Amino acid sequence: MNAFLRTLAGFAILSTVVALHPWGSQAQAQSAAAIAAPEPAAEAVAKTVKRSVEAWLKGRHKVDSVSKTPMPGIVEVRLGKDLLYADEKGGFAIVDGQMVNLKTGANLTASRMETLQAIDFSKLPLELASKVVRGDGGKGKRTIAVFEDPYCSYCRKFRNVLFEMDNITVYTFFYPILRPESTTVSANAWCAKDREAAWDDWMLANKEPPQAPAGCNFPKDKILALGQSLGVQATPTIFIQSGRRFQGALSKEQMEAVLR
């Protein structure tokens, strides 16, 4: 049991002791009452936070109340039956576990996670990927890598987007994680005479690739190990040359924006 789990276990034991002790029920009742009826924040704080949150929401929602919390400097903001938390100066808020700059709208948590999840694109073993170059006289100066499963509907949607793009080089890692048949289709496409065309035919037209010849080796284990080392848990997962990661079927407009 690691330190974190030991801490959780300790809290669980303490909660049980409190509940069983004669004064436990009284303490819990007082705590429940405090949660049910939080103390309103100071008027100046409430006005500042209300103004900042409503400006961030561009008038779409109104703040119903601003209340104190047990955490110094942090207030509860109620919008109907939804809650978020903000600092008393109205500069930042925590929404669904994400820290947001209320003045700029920037999601600071997402930005930080993007940095943490970035990779060194130059170290990708591109020999394990299928390569296709589109446009710009066969140069395809903009380069991406994408992990796709042949039975992933979002991958098919994204493949259509890539088919419409110009001046791009796409490295596709056949990443069979959704069903047993994914391995068969991936291996057959990998072993085809024209693996890029075979993959596109399957993803765009549902045309099955020919049976892989005997002795052809699809590097499934290496690709799966690579994906796991990069934290690829869903498809499509896209990496651009800067190392930034994107997940899901981005639109053509979104792809053009991130590749600028």
Side-chain angles (χ1 to χ4, degrees), residues 160-205:
N160 273 290
V161 169
L162 293 178
F163 199 76
E164 296 174 357
M165 295 187 69
D166 194 19
N167 187 22
I168 188 169
T169 296
V170 180
Y171 289 94
T172 304
F173 291 92
F174 302 167
Y175 198 55
I177 59 173
L178 293 183
R179 58 169 78 173
E181 299 89 338
S182 295
T183 295
T184 301
V185 174
S186 297
N188 289 341
W190 179 265
C191 295
K193 290 183 178 179
D194 187 340
R195 66 176 57 144
E196 292 78 21
W199 189 257
D200 278 346
D201 284 345
W202 169 258
M203 298 299 280
L204 300 175

Short mmCIF file of all heavy atoms in Angstrom, two decimals, residues 160-205:
data_model
loop_
_atom_site.label_atom_id
_atom_site.label_comp_id
_atom_site.label_asym_id
_atom_site.label_seq_id
_atom_site.Cartn_x
_atom_site.Cartn_y
_atom_site.Cartn_z
N ASN A 160 -11.21 11.19 -43.22
CA ASN A 160 -11.84 11.99 -44.27
C ASN A 160 -11.32 13.42 -44.25
O ASN A 160 -11.13 14.03 -45.30
CB ASN A 160 -13.37 11.98 -44.08
CG ASN A 160 -14.04 10.80 -44.76
OD1 ASN A 160 -14.11 10.73 -45.98
ND2 ASN A 160 -14.51 9.86 -43.96
N VAL A 161 -11.09 13.95 -43.05
CA VAL A 161 -10.54 15.30 -42.92
C VAL A 161 -9.15 15.34 -43.53
O VAL A 161 -8.81 16.24 -44.31
CB VAL A 161 -10.51 15.73 -41.44
CG1 VAL A 161 -9.69 17.00 -41.27
CG2 VAL A 161 -11.92 15.93 -40.91
N LEU A 162 -8.32 14.36 -43.20
CA LEU A 162 -6.95 14.32 -43.72
C LEU A 162 -6.94 14.20 -45.23
O LEU A 162 -6.07 14.75 -45.91
CB LEU A 162 -6.18 13.15 -43.10
CG LEU A 162 -5.90 13.24 -41.59
CD1 LEU A 162 -5.17 11.99 -41.11
CD2 LEU A 162 -5.08 14.48 -41.27
N PHE A 163 -7.91 13.48 -45.77
CA PHE A 163 -7.99 13.28 -47.22
C PHE A 163 -8.24 14.59 -47.95
O PHE A 163 -7.86 14.75 -49.11
CB PHE A 163 -9.10 12.27 -47.54
CG PHE A 163 -8.99 11.65 -48.89
CD1 PHE A 163 -8.05 10.65 -49.14
CD2 PHE A 163 -9.80 12.07 -49.94
CE1 PHE A 163 -7.94 10.07 -50.40
CE2 PHE A 163 -9.69 11.50 -51.20
CZ PHE A 163 -8.76 10.49 -51.43
N GLU A 164 -8.85 15.56 -47.24
CA GLU A 164 -9.16 16.85 -47.85
C GLU A 164 -8.03 17.86 -47.69
O GLU A 164 -8.08 18.93 -48.29
CB GLU A 164 -10.43 17.42 -47.20
CG GLU A 164 -11.69 16.59 -47.44
CD GLU A 164 -12.87 17.13 -46.65
OE1 GLU A 164 -12.67 18.11 -45.89
OE2 GLU A 164 -13.98 16.58 -46.78
N MET A 165 -7.03 17.53 -46.88
CA MET A 165 -5.98 18.50 -46.58
C MET A 165 -4.85 18.45 -47.61
O MET A 165 -4.65 17.45 -48.29
CB MET A 165 -5.43 18.27 -45.18
CG MET A 165 -6.48 18.54 -44.09
SD MET A 165 -5.79 18.48 -42.43
CE MET A 165 -4.75 19.95 -42.45
N ASP A 166 -4.13 19.57 -47.70
CA ASP A 166 -3.05 19.71 -48.65
C ASP A 166 -1.75 20.00 -47.90
O ASP A 166 -1.76 20.45 -46.75
CB ASP A 166 -3.38 20.86 -49.61
CG ASP A 166 -2.48 20.85 -50.84
OD1 ASP A 166 -1.87 19.80 -51.12
OD2 ASP A 166 -2.36 21.90 -51.50
N ASN A 167 -0.64 19.72 -48.57
CA ASN A 167 0.68 20.01 -48.00
C ASN A 167 0.85 19.40 -46.62
O ASN A 167 1.17 20.07 -45.64
CB ASN A 167 0.89 21.54 -47.93
CG ASN A 167 2.30 21.89 -47.51
OD1 ASN A 167 3.23 21.10 -47.64
ND2 ASN A 167 2.48 23.10 -46.97
N ILE A 168 0.62 18.09 -46.52
CA ILE A 168 0.73 17.42 -45.23
C ILE A 168 1.28 16.00 -45.41
O ILE A 168 0.96 15.31 -46.37
CB ILE A 168 -0.65 17.37 -44.53
CG1 ILE A 168 -0.49 16.84 -43.09
CG2 ILE A 168 -1.66 16.54 -45.30
CD1 ILE A 168 -1.75 17.01 -42.25
N THR A 169 2.14 15.61 -44.49
CA THR A 169 2.65 14.25 -44.43
C THR A 169 2.06 13.59 -43.18
O THR A 169 2.16 14.15 -42.08
CB THR A 169 4.18 14.22 -44.34
OG1 THR A 169 4.72 14.78 -45.54
CG2 THR A 169 4.70 12.80 -44.19
N VAL A 170 1.45 12.44 -43.38
CA VAL A 170 0.76 11.76 -42.28
C VAL A 170 1.41 10.40 -42.02
O VAL A 170 1.50 9.56 -42.93
CB VAL A 170 -0.74 11.55 -42.61
CG1 VAL A 170 -1.44 10.84 -41.44
CG2 VAL A 170 -1.42 12.88 -42.92
N TYR A 171 1.87 10.21 -40.80
CA TYR A 171 2.35 8.91 -40.36
C TYR A 171 1.25 8.27 -39.51
O TYR A 171 0.86 8.84 -38.49
CB TYR A 171 3.63 9.05 -39.53
CG TYR A 171 4.84 9.45 -40.34
CD1 TYR A 171 5.20 10.78 -40.46
CD2 TYR A 171 5.61 8.49 -40.99
CE1 TYR A 171 6.31 11.16 -41.21
CE2 TYR A 171 6.73 8.85 -41.74
CZ TYR A 171 7.07 10.18 -41.85
OH TYR A 171 8.17 10.54 -42.59
N THR A 172 0.77 7.12 -39.94
CA THR A 172 -0.33 6.45 -39.24
C THR A 172 0.17 5.18 -38.56
O THR A 172 0.71 4.29 -39.22
CB THR A 172 -1.47 6.09 -40.20
OG1 THR A 172 -1.92 7.27 -40.88
CG2 THR A 172 -2.64 5.47 -39.44
N PHE A 173 -0.02 5.13 -37.26
CA PHE A 173 0.29 3.92 -36.50
C PHE A 173 -1.00 3.10 -36.40
O PHE A 173 -1.98 3.59 -35.82
CB PHE A 173 0.82 4.27 -35.11
CG PHE A 173 2.18 4.91 -35.12
CD1 PHE A 173 2.31 6.30 -35.17
CD2 PHE A 173 3.33 4.14 -35.09
CE1 PHE A 173 3.56 6.90 -35.18
CE2 PHE A 173 4.60 4.73 -35.12
CZ PHE A 173 4.71 6.11 -35.17
N PHE A 174 -1.00 1.90 -36.97
CA PHE A 174 -2.16 1.03 -36.89
C PHE A 174 -2.22 0.49 -35.45
O PHE A 174 -1.38 -0.32 -35.06
CB PHE A 174 -2.05 -0.12 -37.88
CG PHE A 174 -1.90 0.31 -39.33
CD1 PHE A 174 -1.53 -0.61 -40.31
CD2 PHE A 174 -2.14 1.62 -39.73
CE1 PHE A 174 -1.38 -0.23 -41.64
CE2 PHE A 174 -1.99 2.01 -41.05
CZ PHE A 174 -1.61 1.09 -42.01
N TYR A 175 -3.20 0.94 -34.70
CA TYR A 175 -3.24 0.72 -33.24
C TYR A 175 -4.47 -0.12 -32.87
O TYR A 175 -5.52 0.41 -32.49
CB TYR A 175 -3.28 2.09 -32.56
CG TYR A 175 -2.89 2.11 -31.10
CD1 TYR A 175 -1.67 1.60 -30.67
CD2 TYR A 175 -3.73 2.70 -30.15
CE1 TYR A 175 -1.30 1.66 -29.34
CE2 TYR A 175 -3.38 2.77 -28.82
CZ TYR A 175 -2.16 2.25 -28.42
OH TYR A 175 -1.79 2.32 -27.09
N PRO A 176 -4.37 -1.44 -32.96
CA PRO A 176 -5.54 -2.31 -32.78
C PRO A 176 -5.90 -2.56 -31.33
O PRO A 176 -5.40 -3.48 -30.68
CB PRO A 176 -5.10 -3.61 -33.47
CG PRO A 176 -3.62 -3.64 -33.27
CD PRO A 176 -3.16 -2.20 -33.31
N ILE A 177 -6.80 -1.73 -30.79
CA ILE A 177 -7.14 -1.84 -29.37
C ILE A 177 -8.63 -2.04 -29.11
O ILE A 177 -9.01 -2.33 -27.97
CB ILE A 177 -6.67 -0.58 -28.59
CG1 ILE A 177 -7.32 0.68 -29.16
CG2 ILE A 177 -5.15 -0.48 -28.60
CD1 ILE A 177 -7.05 1.93 -28.33
N LEU A 178 -9.47 -1.90 -30.13
CA LEU A 178 -10.90 -1.90 -29.87
C LEU A 178 -11.55 -3.28 -29.89
O LEU A 178 -12.47 -3.54 -29.12
CB LEU A 178 -11.62 -0.99 -30.87
CG LEU A 178 -11.31 0.50 -30.75
CD1 LEU A 178 -12.13 1.30 -31.76
CD2 LEU A 178 -11.60 0.99 -29.33
N ARG A 179 -11.10 -4.16 -30.77
CA ARG A 179 -11.70 -5.49 -30.86
C ARG A 179 -10.71 -6.46 -31.48
O ARG A 179 -9.73 -6.02 -32.11
CB ARG A 179 -13.00 -5.45 -31.67
CG ARG A 179 -12.82 -4.91 -33.09
CD ARG A 179 -14.07 -5.15 -33.95
NE ARG A 179 -15.11 -4.20 -33.66
CZ ARG A 179 -16.25 -4.12 -34.38
NH1 ARG A 179 -16.45 -4.96 -35.39
NH2 ARG A 179 -17.16 -3.23 -34.07
N PRO A 180 -10.93 -7.77 -31.32
CA PRO A 180 -9.98 -8.74 -31.88
C PRO A 180 -9.77 -8.59 -33.38
O PRO A 180 -8.66 -8.76 -33.88
CB PRO A 180 -10.64 -10.09 -31.54
CG PRO A 180 -11.46 -9.81 -30.32
CD PRO A 180 -11.98 -8.42 -30.51
N GLU A 181 -10.83 -8.24 -34.11
CA GLU A 181 -10.71 -8.11 -35.56
C GLU A 181 -9.81 -6.95 -35.97
O GLU A 181 -9.34 -6.89 -37.11
CB GLU A 181 -12.10 -7.90 -36.19
CG GLU A 181 -13.07 -9.05 -35.97
CD GLU A 181 -13.89 -8.91 -34.69
OE1 GLU A 181 -13.44 -8.18 -33.77
OE2 GLU A 181 -14.96 -9.53 -34.61
N SER A 182 -9.59 -6.03 -35.04
CA SER A 182 -8.73 -4.88 -35.35
C SER A 182 -7.33 -5.33 -35.74
O SER A 182 -6.70 -4.76 -36.63
CB SER A 182 -8.65 -3.94 -34.14
OG SER A 182 -9.90 -3.37 -33.85
N THR A 183 -6.85 -6.38 -35.07
CA THR A 183 -5.50 -6.88 -35.37
C THR A 183 -5.45 -7.47 -36.78
O THR A 183 -4.49 -7.24 -37.53
CB THR A 183 -5.09 -7.95 -34.35
OG1 THR A 183 -4.98 -7.34 -33.06
CG2 THR A 183 -3.74 -8.57 -34.72
N THR A 184 -6.49 -8.21 -37.15
CA THR A 184 -6.52 -8.83 -38.49
C THR A 184 -6.50 -7.78 -39.59
O THR A 184 -5.70 -7.87 -40.53
CB THR A 184 -7.77 -9.72 -38.63
OG1 THR A 184 -7.76 -10.72 -37.62
CG2 THR A 184 -7.81 -10.37 -40.01
N VAL A 185 -7.37 -6.78 -39.48
CA VAL A 185 -7.44 -5.74 -40.50
C VAL A 185 -6.13 -4.95 -40.54
O VAL A 185 -5.61 -4.65 -41.62
CB VAL A 185 -8.63 -4.79 -40.24
CG1 VAL A 185 -8.60 -3.62 -41.22
CG2 VAL A 185 -9.94 -5.54 -40.35
N SER A 186 -5.58 -4.63 -39.38
CA SER A 186 -4.33 -3.87 -39.33
C SER A 186 -3.20 -4.65 -39.97
O SER A 186 -2.40 -4.10 -40.75
CB SER A 186 -3.98 -3.55 -37.87
OG SER A 186 -4.95 -2.71 -37.28
N ALA A 187 -3.11 -5.94 -39.67
CA ALA A 187 -2.04 -6.77 -40.24
C ALA A 187 -2.20 -6.90 -41.75
O ALA A 187 -1.20 -6.82 -42.50
CB ALA A 187 -2.06 -8.16 -39.58
N ASN A 188 -3.42 -7.08 -42.21
CA ASN A 188 -3.64 -7.21 -43.66
C ASN A 188 -3.29 -5.92 -44.39
O ASN A 188 -2.69 -5.95 -45.48
CB ASN A 188 -5.10 -7.59 -43.94
CG ASN A 188 -5.41 -9.02 -43.54
OD1 ASN A 188 -4.50 -9.84 -43.38
ND2 ASN A 188 -6.68 -9.33 -43.39
N ALA A 189 -3.66 -4.78 -43.80
CA ALA A 189 -3.33 -3.50 -44.44
C ALA A 189 -1.82 -3.27 -44.42
O ALA A 189 -1.23 -2.81 -45.41
CB ALA A 189 -4.05 -2.36 -43.72
N TRP A 190 -1.18 -3.59 -43.30
CA TRP A 190 0.27 -3.41 -43.17
C TRP A 190 1.02 -4.24 -44.21
O TRP A 190 2.03 -3.80 -44.76
CB TRP A 190 0.71 -3.78 -41.77
CG TRP A 190 2.18 -3.64 -41.53
CD1 TRP A 190 3.13 -4.62 -41.63
CD2 TRP A 190 2.89 -2.45 -41.18
NE1 TRP A 190 4.38 -4.11 -41.36
CE2 TRP A 190 4.26 -2.78 -41.07
CE3 TRP A 190 2.49 -1.14 -40.93
CZ2 TRP A 190 5.23 -1.84 -40.74
CZ3 TRP A 190 3.46 -0.21 -40.59
CH2 TRP A 190 4.81 -0.55 -40.50
N CYS A 191 0.53 -5.43 -44.47
CA CYS A 191 1.23 -6.35 -45.37
C CYS A 191 0.82 -6.20 -46.84
O CYS A 191 1.34 -6.92 -47.70
CB CYS A 191 0.98 -7.79 -44.91
SG CYS A 191 1.69 -8.16 -43.29
N ALA A 192 -0.10 -5.28 -47.12
CA ALA A 192 -0.53 -5.07 -48.51
C ALA A 192 0.60 -4.44 -49.33
O ALA A 192 1.49 -3.79 -48.79
CB ALA A 192 -1.76 -4.18 -48.53
N LYS A 193 0.55 -4.63 -50.63
CA LYS A 193 1.56 -4.04 -51.51
C LYS A 193 1.59 -2.52 -51.37
O LYS A 193 2.65 -1.91 -51.42
CB LYS A 193 1.29 -4.45 -52.96
CG LYS A 193 1.56 -5.92 -53.24
CD LYS A 193 1.35 -6.24 -54.71
CE LYS A 193 1.67 -7.71 -55.01
NZ LYS A 193 1.45 -8.05 -56.44
N ASP A 194 0.43 -1.93 -51.23
CA ASP A 194 0.32 -0.48 -51.01
C ASP A 194 -0.44 -0.29 -49.70
O ASP A 194 -1.66 -0.18 -49.69
CB ASP A 194 -0.42 0.19 -52.17
CG ASP A 194 -0.41 1.71 -52.07
OD1 ASP A 194 -0.18 2.23 -50.96
OD2 ASP A 194 -0.64 2.37 -53.11
N ARG A 195 0.29 -0.28 -48.58
CA ARG A 195 -0.38 -0.27 -47.27
C ARG A 195 -1.16 1.02 -47.04
O ARG A 195 -2.20 1.02 -46.38
CB ARG A 195 0.62 -0.51 -46.14
CG ARG A 195 1.67 0.55 -45.94
CD ARG A 195 2.55 0.22 -44.73
NE ARG A 195 3.19 -1.07 -44.82
CZ ARG A 195 4.42 -1.33 -44.37
NH1 ARG A 195 5.14 -0.35 -43.83
NH2 ARG A 195 4.93 -2.52 -44.47
N GLU A 196 -0.66 2.16 -47.59
CA GLU A 196 -1.38 3.42 -47.40
C GLU A 196 -2.74 3.36 -48.10
O GLU A 196 -3.76 3.74 -47.53
CB GLU A 196 -0.56 4.58 -47.95
CG GLU A 196 0.70 4.88 -47.18
CD GLU A 196 1.85 3.92 -47.48
OE1 GLU A 196 1.82 3.28 -48.57
OE2 GLU A 196 2.76 3.78 -46.64
N ALA A 197 -2.75 2.86 -49.34
CA ALA A 197 -4.00 2.75 -50.09
C ALA A 197 -4.92 1.73 -49.43
O ALA A 197 -6.14 1.94 -49.35
CB ALA A 197 -3.71 2.34 -51.53
N ALA A 198 -4.36 0.63 -48.94
CA ALA A 198 -5.17 -0.40 -48.29
C ALA A 198 -5.85 0.16 -47.04
O ALA A 198 -7.04 -0.12 -46.78
CB ALA A 198 -4.30 -1.59 -47.93
N TRP A 199 -5.12 0.95 -46.27
CA TRP A 199 -5.70 1.54 -45.06
C TRP A 199 -6.77 2.57 -45.41
O TRP A 199 -7.87 2.57 -44.83
CB TRP A 199 -4.60 2.19 -44.22
CG TRP A 199 -5.06 2.64 -42.86
CD1 TRP A 199 -5.34 3.92 -42.47
CD2 TRP A 199 -5.27 1.81 -41.71
NE1 TRP A 199 -5.70 3.94 -41.14
CE2 TRP A 199 -5.68 2.66 -40.66
CE3 TRP A 199 -5.17 0.44 -41.48
CZ2 TRP A 199 -5.98 2.18 -39.39
CZ3 TRP A 199 -5.46 -0.04 -40.20
CH2 TRP A 199 -5.86 0.83 -39.18
N ASP A 200 -6.49 3.41 -46.39
CA ASP A 200 -7.48 4.41 -46.80
C ASP A 200 -8.73 3.74 -47.37
O ASP A 200 -9.86 4.18 -47.10
CB ASP A 200 -6.88 5.36 -47.85
CG ASP A 200 -6.05 6.47 -47.23
OD1 ASP A 200 -6.14 6.67 -46.00
OD2 ASP A 200 -5.30 7.14 -47.97
N ASP A 201 -8.55 2.69 -48.14
CA ASP A 201 -9.71 1.99 -48.71
C ASP A 201 -10.60 1.43 -47.60
O ASP A 201 -11.83 1.47 -47.70
CB ASP A 201 -9.25 0.84 -49.62
CG ASP A 201 -8.74 1.33 -50.97
OD1 ASP A 201 -9.00 2.51 -51.30
OD2 ASP A 201 -8.09 0.54 -51.68
N TRP A 202 -9.97 0.91 -46.57
CA TRP A 202 -10.75 0.37 -45.46
C TRP A 202 -11.43 1.49 -44.66
O TRP A 202 -12.62 1.42 -44.36
CB TRP A 202 -9.86 -0.45 -44.53
CG TRP A 202 -10.53 -0.81 -43.24
CD1 TRP A 202 -10.36 -0.22 -42.02
CD2 TRP A 202 -11.53 -1.82 -43.05
NE1 TRP A 202 -11.16 -0.81 -41.08
CE2 TRP A 202 -11.90 -1.79 -41.67
CE3 TRP A 202 -12.14 -2.74 -43.89
CZ2 TRP A 202 -12.86 -2.64 -41.14
CZ3 TRP A 202 -13.11 -3.60 -43.34
CH2 TRP A 202 -13.45 -3.55 -41.99
N MET A 203 -10.69 2.52 -44.33
CA MET A 203 -11.22 3.58 -43.48
C MET A 203 -12.24 4.46 -44.19
O MET A 203 -13.20 4.93 -43.58
CB MET A 203 -10.07 4.45 -42.96
CG MET A 203 -9.05 3.71 -42.10
SD MET A 203 -9.76 3.00 -40.60
CE MET A 203 -9.85 4.43 -39.53
N LEU A 204 -12.04 4.67 -45.50
CA LEU A 204 -12.91 5.59 -46.24
C LEU A 204 -14.02 4.89 -47.02
O LEU A 204 -15.08 5.48 -47.24
CB LEU A 204 -12.07 6.43 -47.21
CG LEU A 204 -10.98 7.30 -46.57
CD1 LEU A 204 -10.15 7.98 -47.65
CD2 LEU A 204 -11.59 8.34 -45.63
N ALA A 205 -13.77 3.65 -47.45
CA ALA A 205 -14.76 2.96 -48.29
C ALA A 205 -15.16 1.60 -47.74
O ALA A 205 -15.94 0.88 -48.39
CB ALA A 205 -14.19 2.79 -49.71
#
